[in-house]
Amino acid sequence: MAPASGSVQKKTGGCKKKKKSVVGIDFKRVKSKVGRKLPPARNSTSVDFKSKAIVLSSQTVVSEKEGLAVSNRRQTLKELLGQTTHYSERVRREALMGLKDLFLHFPEELPMHAMAIIEKLSPRITDSDRSVRQTFLLLLRSSILPGLPQVMMGPLVPGLMAHVSSAMTHLVLDIRTSACSFLDLLVHHYPALVLPFSSQIVQHYTDLLGKGGVSALSMAQLGSVLSSLVNFLAALHSSLATQPVETKKDDTGDKLQALHGYRSVTRPGGAHHHSLYRNQLEAVLKPEPSLDPCSTNGTGSRVGRIKVVAAPLVPVLLECWAECSPTVCGVLVPDTGKLSCMTTITRAVSLLFQAFILDSSSSSSSQHFGGRHMGGIVVHGGSTVSDVKQEEQELRLWMRQLFLPGLQRHFMAFFPITASSIWLPVEVEEELIALNVGICEVMLQLIVPPPSLGNEKNIKNDQHHVTLATLEYFESALYGMMLPSSELSAGSSINKSLAERHTKLLVSFIPNLLPCVSQDWVARLLQAFTQVFVSTKAHSPTKLACLAAMADMLLPQRSGGGKSEVPLGFQKQWMQCLPHLLWELKHTHPTVSQAVLQMLLQIGRSAPNGSVLAGEFSALQQQLIPFFCTFFTSTKNGVKCIYGPFSKLPRNCQELAIDMFFFFTNFSRVFLKAVAHCCLSAEISVEVTIRAVEVLHSVFIRGSLGLPEHLSFLLTLLSGHISAQAGASHAVVIGGSTELLLPTKEVTSKDINLLESLGEESRRRQMVVAGVVCACLVQVGNKKLVLQLLGPTIHQELGRCTTVEVAHSFLRVISVLSLTDRKNNSSSFLPDNLREMLPQCVCNFLISVALVDSVQSKTTLCRPCLVLISKSPSFGKAVLNCLNSLLHPGPQLATSAAVKRMCASVQTILDICKQETLVSTLSTCEETLRAILHTLKKSVELGVESEEGSKLRTLCNQLESTAAALYGWQVENMPP
């Protein structure tokens, strides 16, 4: 059969392939072309979103905080305080940081909400998280406590102290140690508010340092607690040294017990093993009340509380010492951490002993020497210094009996620690030196006089061993050998600058040591002390400490009223060093200069009359002259003066130097010359000059200053220059007035301005000094005799070309000392050497005052002249005649200066005629006034046509009217 058309079937020649069966595929591979976007996966998440804005009329949160104080996170004070109690440590910490930021930008919020802030934040002291406590401590240190005054914190500190006490007795050790940092901060800012809680604080420290406390754990925590204890005891020591005499009842213990819930179950002495020591303390107190000068006698005062509560702290500190000493003492390389702890322990024990002594002294109305550097004698109430010293010695004996066995077993076992045989860092050597000095400081406070120790042989041996070892190191330390040598090493001497603080501390113990040692040791210690005093710099703090110690040793009032233990040779050597020290100090260290002057003043006050010490004190004048001023002669300018430190020191130092004069038994002319020269200086206030006059006048009345020297000193102050009686050959002009008594040149406006700008202050000063000098001259003796003695000098000074102020001073002296001429006999009114020249001098003085228009106190300046005229009619007539001689016409009328002088003369006569007190004197001078008017009219007719001429005519008319009214002249009786 043929195939269909158009289709031809080929034969393949093979069998047809069978299709393979399809197997299931888990992941189908999708083939994609390049550039085509991949489809999203089935499990992909769409991140597309749409948003729409919602517009509100106002935001409630923002509007509520407008105008409020907020932090940088827009949080208010209320919100931050609320977050401080949050359960999260991070939130509490950030809230405290926010409070710091808020107080930084809004400091007024702190005092406004102080009570709420303190009450809300106080629990953070016991916070379980360390970072929160540290942040709160930083907030207190930087913001809260500096911004709150003590008056505002008064009612808030008890609450803070309750939380601090709770933290110090907390079960968690870390909280107990951090509580000391909070206590340090409160003591630093408010010591007066914290120290009433002293009894409980000391008890907490005893528990904290006892068995099971910090001493059994890390040295770092032990050092932190010990440092806090030293800071607290230092504040307590300062408070006891400056507290008032009256001691009030201390019931702060009961207050503090009720302020916190935790209460220690141990004895007040600390751990259980201290109960035996507590019983021993009570046994010492009860059977021998004479050995306990601090007994409260049932009053319950702080006096007994401090001793009873703080005494158990000493054995606790000794146990801490015992734990640290094996790695420090007797080894080549000591552990620096434990070494530092041991040094702090010695400081704490020393402060405790000083607190005992100060507490005892305060109960006897006195202060212990260690609590002051330089000051007066403190005696209050009915207790004398000798009674206080006796009670202090009894207290030292009590401390010795109670604490010496433990101290000898621990402190004295390796004392003094010697230098190592190998090289040690400088810091370690300094710490070893501080440890030696600390032990010496503790043991020095337990040295008592030998009779106080009793007759027991073992006690005497202990006394000898402890005293000898302590005194030997004490002496070597004063010489600078604070780290002694050993068999294998040489000693090490500390640098002088680093030894200042140690030497300053050691020299304060010398006054109490002298009565407790033999005469050999007295000489050795005083020699070492003198070496320290001489070798230290003039302005160093050690010099102040030496001066305080010298005052305690030299003044019998401080040493118990008895004879000084210092040999006379040392006393002379010390006194002779003081004037030179004043010169070295200059005026740049007024504190040390004040201490030196106080020392000199107290020596002069305490030196018995006629004693060798009083003579040596008066002999210091020659050495004190450079302190006031020094004179030297130069070939060009002659004698010149260089002022010493006295003129530039503060006023209180100058007054101390002036008061020292009262205790001199005699005076040299050169010394008085130097003092007078300083009193004339413009740098010295008028109050100091007056004080010098009063003190020297008191010395004159006592009889220690001669009459010629006293009068010479007073006249020198009036004249304004060193007089010939004082031994000087040159003048020193004081004040600023340059107007001469006899004006020989035309008075120009420049001269008037110069007087006005420079003369007012000096004029007031000179008038005040003149008043004081006149008051002293009146008390010298018979006025007429005194004026006769002063007459030649006054005549010489008035004859010189001097200033108006100086002339006023001498005229004032004459007016005060002159007698009233009731019989019109000039011989009884003035001495011969003043009778002839005084009218002309008064005339010239009155004209000079009238010529100066800028003088505001013309009436005051002219008062001495008016008094002289009122005392003697003949003297008044002589003055008017002198004024009349200046009015005669002559060729000088052509000059302006002459017309001015005539105007001044007429004005002076006119002022005299207007004085009501001179009516009786002027009643005898009618003819003299007629002659003056006659002469004046002739001068007016011949006068020049100028402004001065018209003024002269006007004055002439005024004088004519005044005279007519005074004498009742009629027109026909007027002078032609």
Side-chain angles (χ1 to χ4, degrees):
M1 180 174 174
S5 61
S7 64
V8 177
Q9 187 175 4
K10 289 183 178 182
K11 294 182 180 179
T12 57
C15 61
K16 188 176 181 180
K17 293 183 179 179
K18 297 181 179 179
K19 292 182 180 180
K20 295 181 180 179
S21 59
V22 179
V23 183
I25 300 173
D26 294 333
F27 301 98
K28 185 177 180 181
R29 181 178 180 184
V30 179
K31 295 181 179 180
S32 58
K33 295 183 179 180
V34 177
R36 181 177 295 180
K37 185 177 180 180
L38 294 175
R42 295 181 179 180
N43 58 350
S44 63
T45 302
S46 176
V47 294
D48 297 336
F49 63 91
K50 295 181 181 180
S51 63
K52 294 183 179 180
I54 301 177
V55 181
L56 301 177
S57 59
S58 63
Q59 291 286 343
T60 306
V61 177
V62 176
S63 62
E64 287 180 355
K65 296 184 179 180
E66 288 295 334
L68 297 179
V70 294
S71 65
N72 54 0
R73 292 190 177 184
R74 305 290 298 176
Q75 291 177 305
T76 62
L77 178 63
K78 183 178 180 181
E79 294 172 348
L80 292 172
L81 291 178
Q83 291 180 0
T84 56
T85 57
H86 197 270
Y87 67 90
S88 173
E89 295 85 355
R90 182 183 60 82
V91 175
R92 296 198 301 269
R93 183 175 63 255
E94 291 179 353
L96 294 173
M97 296 173 63
L99 287 172
K100 179 181 178 181
D101 178 73
L102 188 142
F103 295 148
L104 178 63
H105 294 89
F106 301 94
E108 66 278 0
E109 293 293 315
L110 181 58
M112 290 175 57
H113 308 89
M115 181 170 293
I117 293 172
I118 296 298
E119 290 180 354
K120 193 69 174 179
L121 298 182
S122 295
R124 295 309 101 212
I125 297 176
T126 56
D127 197 281
S128 58
D129 186 71
R130 176 185 296 182
S131 61
V132 175
R133 295 195 303 270
Q134 292 297 327
T135 306
F136 180 46
L137 182 67
L138 180 62
L139 176 63
L140 287 175
R141 181 183 293 113
S142 61
S143 302
I144 295 180
L145 297 187
L148 297 177
Q150 182 170 327
V151 177
M152 187 176 294
M153 286 295 294
L156 302 179
V157 166
L160 279 172
M161 285 304 303
H163 288 279
V164 171
S165 297
S166 176
M168 294 184 72
T169 55
H170 203 276
L171 294 176
V172 180
L173 179 60
D174 194 31
I175 295 179
R176 295 205 300 268
T177 55
S178 63
C180 298
S181 301
F182 289 97
L183 180 61
D184 282 346
L185 202 56
L186 293 176
V187 170
H188 174 72
H189 286 279
Y190 314 109
L193 301 179
V194 176
L195 292 180
F197 304 94
S198 300
S199 301
Q200 281 67 34
I201 293 174
V202 172
Q203 181 178 344
H204 295 329
Y205 274 115
T206 305
D207 297 338
L208 189 58
L209 293 172
K211 290 294 183 181
V214 182
S215 60
L217 298 177
S218 67
M219 283 295 109
Q221 292 176 329
L222 175 61
S224 174
V225 175
L226 289 174
S227 299
S228 174
L229 175 62
V230 168
N231 294 335
F232 168 74
L233 292 177
L236 178 63
H237 174 273
S238 178
S239 174
L240 290 173
T242 57
Q243 70 176 355
V245 178
E246 296 80 13
T247 56
K248 299 181 180 180
K249 183 178 180 180
D250 182 19
D251 54 354
T252 55
D254 298 333
K255 291 181 182 178
L256 201 60
Q257 295 271 353
L259 285 175
H260 64 91
Y262 179 79
R263 184 173 181 178
S264 176
V265 296
T266 59
R267 298 289 298 247
H272 175 71
H273 70 285
H274 295 308
S275 60
L276 181 61
Y277 183 84
R278 176 81 173 189
N279 296 334
Q280 179 186 358
L281 172 63
E282 296 175 353
V284 172
L285 294 177
K286 292 181 179 179
E288 295 182 2
S290 62
L291 296 180
D292 186 12
C294 297
S295 177
T296 60
N297 296 326
T299 61
S301 66
R302 185 178 62 180
V303 174
R305 292 285 295 172
I306 288 182
K307 189 180 70 171
V308 173
V309 176
L313 183 58
V314 176
V316 174
L317 293 173
L318 292 180
E319 291 178 0
C320 296
W321 173 284
E323 294 184 5
C324 300
S325 60
T327 58
V328 175
C329 302
V331 296
L332 294 178
V333 181
D335 188 328
T336 55
K338 293 184 178 181
L339 177 60
S340 178
C341 291
M342 293 172 66
T343 305
T344 310
I345 290 172
T346 59
R347 182 61 181 158
V349 175
S350 177
L351 288 172
L352 275 175
F353 288 173
Q354 293 181 30
F356 294 158
I357 297 172
L358 286 173
D359 210 6
S360 172
S361 300
S362 63
S363 64
S364 303
S365 304
S366 179
Q367 291 185 356
H368 175 54
F369 76 97
R372 64 177 182 267
H373 290 292
M374 191 70 188
I377 303 164
V378 183
V379 180
H380 307 280
S383 301
T384 62
V385 179
S386 58
D387 296 336
V388 174
K389 291 291 182 181
Q390 181 64 27
E391 293 179 359
E392 184 178 316
Q393 293 296 342
E394 293 177 356
L395 179 64
R396 291 179 186 275
L397 180 60
W398 170 80
M399 292 192 304
R400 181 182 181 84
Q401 292 177 351
L402 193 60
F403 303 123
L404 182 60
L407 293 174
Q408 196 169 7
R409 185 169 57 254
H410 295 286
F411 280 13
M412 301 299 294
F414 296 93
F415 178 77
I417 299 176
T418 59
S420 177
S421 59
I422 63 174
W423 180 87
L424 292 177
V426 178
E427 295 78 8
V428 178
E429 287 190 352
E430 292 178 2
E431 200 68 35
L432 289 174
I433 291 173
L435 181 60
N436 276 339
V437 174
I439 297 174
C440 181
E441 178 186 357
V442 172
M443 303 310 299
L444 285 174
Q445 300 182 66
L446 299 182
I447 296 180
V448 295
S452 303
L453 295 175
N455 299 322
E456 292 82 357
K457 183 176 180 180
N458 57 347
I459 293 181
K460 284 189 175 182
N461 292 334
D462 291 344
Q463 164 74 6
H464 178 73
H465 171 70
V466 173
T467 302
L468 184 61
T470 305
L471 292 180
E472 286 179 349
Y473 176 79
F474 182 70
E475 182 187 16
S476 63
L478 290 179
Y479 283 114
M481 189 61 65
M482 298 184 178
L483 196 60
S485 60
S486 61
E487 297 179 356
L488 302 177
S489 64
S492 175
S493 59
I494 192 173
N495 187 281
K496 288 185 178 181
S497 60
L498 299 177
E500 282 286 336
R501 57 190 181 98
H502 298 311
T503 309
K504 173 187 173 183
L505 178 66
L506 292 176
V507 296
S508 62
F509 290 95
I510 292 183
N512 273 17
L513 278 179
L514 297 185
C516 304
V517 297
S518 61
Q519 293 299 322
D520 295 338
W521 271 109
V522 168
R524 293 174 62 177
L525 293 180
L526 290 180
Q527 185 64 35
F529 171 78
T530 305
Q531 177 65 24
V532 172
F533 177 69
V534 174
S535 61
T536 53
K537 295 182 180 179
H539 54 83
S540 65
T542 306
K543 190 73 76 174
L544 275 175
C546 291
L547 291 172
M550 289 165 58
D552 285 333
M553 290 184 283
L554 293 180
L555 303 183
Q557 294 91 336
R558 293 193 183 182
S559 59
K563 185 179 179 181
S564 176
E565 299 287 342
V566 182
L568 185 60
F570 286 105
Q571 297 184 31
K572 293 180 180 180
Q573 185 178 357
W574 296 347
M575 277 198 306
Q576 292 173 359
C577 294
L578 297 180
H580 182 68
L581 178 59
L582 286 174
W583 172 256
E584 288 182 341
L585 290 170
K586 303 299 181 183
H587 63 279
T588 55
H589 302 87
T591 304
V592 187
S593 298
Q594 181 180 358
V596 176
L597 292 170
Q598 284 178 344
M599 180 69 188
L600 287 170
L601 181 62
Q602 292 167 355
I603 291 175
R605 183 185 291 118
S606 61
N609 293 331
S611 63
V612 179
L613 186 62
E616 292 291 335
F617 179 74
S618 297
L620 296 177
Q621 294 181 42
Q622 187 66 27
Q623 303 179 38
L624 285 172
I625 291 176
F627 173 67
F628 292 96
C629 68
T630 304
F631 299 95
F632 68 96
T633 304
S634 63
T635 56
K636 295 183 179 180
N637 301 323
V639 181
K640 298 187 66 176
C641 169
I642 296 180
Y643 289 104
F646 172 81
S647 60
K648 296 184 179 181
L649 284 174
R651 180 179 170 182
N652 58 343
C653 295
Q654 294 175 349
E655 292 178 349
L656 286 174
I658 296 298
D659 293 344
M660 184 174 54
F661 301 165
F662 185 80
F663 303 102
F664 288 152
T665 56
N666 53 72
F667 289 85
S668 65
R669 286 181 174 268
V670 181
F671 179 76
L672 289 175
K673 171 186 173 182
V675 175
H677 210 83
C678 284
C679 292
L680 295 176
S681 173
E683 297 181 359
I684 303 297
S685 64
V686 66
E687 291 81 7
V688 176
T689 302
I690 294 173
R691 194 182 190 96
V693 174
E694 293 175 346
V695 170
L696 289 177
H697 186 66
S698 301
V699 175
F700 165 75
I701 294 176
R702 190 183 63 196
S704 300
L705 180 62
L707 180 60
E709 290 80 9
H710 186 43
L711 295 180
S712 176
F713 180 80
L714 295 179
L715 291 183
T716 300
L717 297 183
L718 294 181
S719 63
H721 61 82
I722 303 299
S723 64
Q725 297 180 8
S729 60
H730 68 291
V732 179
V733 180
I734 66 170
S737 178
T738 58
E739 181 66 23
L740 302 180
L741 277 172
L742 295 175
T744 57
K745 62 179 182 178
E746 182 178 355
V747 180
T748 62
S749 60
K750 181 179 179 181
D751 296 330
I752 295 175
N753 293 334
L754 181 62
L755 181 63
E756 182 180 1
S757 61
L758 296 179
E760 287 300 324
E761 184 65 28
S762 63
R763 182 178 300 111
R764 288 193 294 266
R765 175 192 178 96
Q766 185 72 12
M767 294 175 68
V768 171
V769 173
V772 177
V773 170
C774 291
C776 295
L777 291 175
V778 170
Q779 301 177 11
V780 168
N782 185 272
K783 293 182 180 180
K784 183 177 180 180
L785 182 58
V786 173
L787 186 57
Q788 288 180 352
L789 294 175
L790 299 179
T793 304
I794 295 178
H795 182 277
Q796 178 183 359
E797 294 298 330
L798 289 178
R800 295 180 178 180
C801 293
T802 181
T803 60
V804 173
E805 292 80 13
V806 173
H808 164 266
S809 301
F810 284 106
L811 292 174
R812 186 172 180 179
V813 170
I814 298 173
S815 66
V816 170
L817 297 179
S818 60
L819 303 178
T820 303
D821 186 12
R822 301 184 183 277
K823 298 182 180 181
N824 200 14
N825 184 9
S826 59
S827 62
S828 62
F829 172 59
L830 292 174
D832 296 338
N833 46 24
L834 294 177
R835 190 182 307 121
E836 296 180 358
M837 59 87 62
L838 192 59
Q840 183 66 38
C841 180
V842 170
C843 175
N844 295 336
F845 175 77
L846 293 175
I847 295 176
S848 299
V849 174
L851 282 174
V852 184
D853 297 333
S854 62
V855 177
Q856 301 177 359
S857 55
K858 289 185 178 182
T859 305
T860 305
L861 287 173
C862 297
R863 186 175 293 118
C865 299
L866 301 179
V867 172
L868 289 172
I869 295 173
S870 66
K871 283 187 174 183
S872 175
S874 60
F875 180 78
K877 186 180 296 186
V879 172
L880 291 177
N881 288 330
C882 292
L883 291 172
N884 187 23
S885 64
L886 298 176
L887 300 177
H888 286 287
Q892 66 272 16
L893 285 176
T895 62
S896 175
V899 178
K900 284 185 178 181
R901 190 181 300 112
M902 293 181 65
C903 291
S905 302
V906 177
Q907 182 65 49
T908 301
I909 299 172
L910 186 61
D911 293 339
I912 292 175
C913 294
K914 291 181 180 180
Q915 296 295 325
E916 297 179 359
T917 58
L918 301 181
V919 174
S920 59
T921 301
L922 293 175
S923 62
T924 62
C925 303
E926 182 177 356
E927 295 300 327
T928 305
L929 280 176
R930 285 181 180 274
I932 290 174
L933 286 173
H934 179 73
T935 305
L936 182 59
K937 287 183 178 181
K938 288 184 178 181
S939 300
V940 170
E941 292 176 358
L942 299 176
V944 295
E945 293 295 335
S946 61
E947 183 180 355
E948 289 80 6
S950 61
K951 181 179 180 181
L952 183 62
R953 295 188 185 90
T954 304
L955 290 173
C956 180
N957 296 332
Q958 292 179 3
L959 179 61
E960 186 176 11
S961 302
T962 303
L966 181 63
Y967 297 109
W969 292 341
Q970 301 298 327
V971 177
E972 58 274 7
N973 296 330
M974 297 290 290

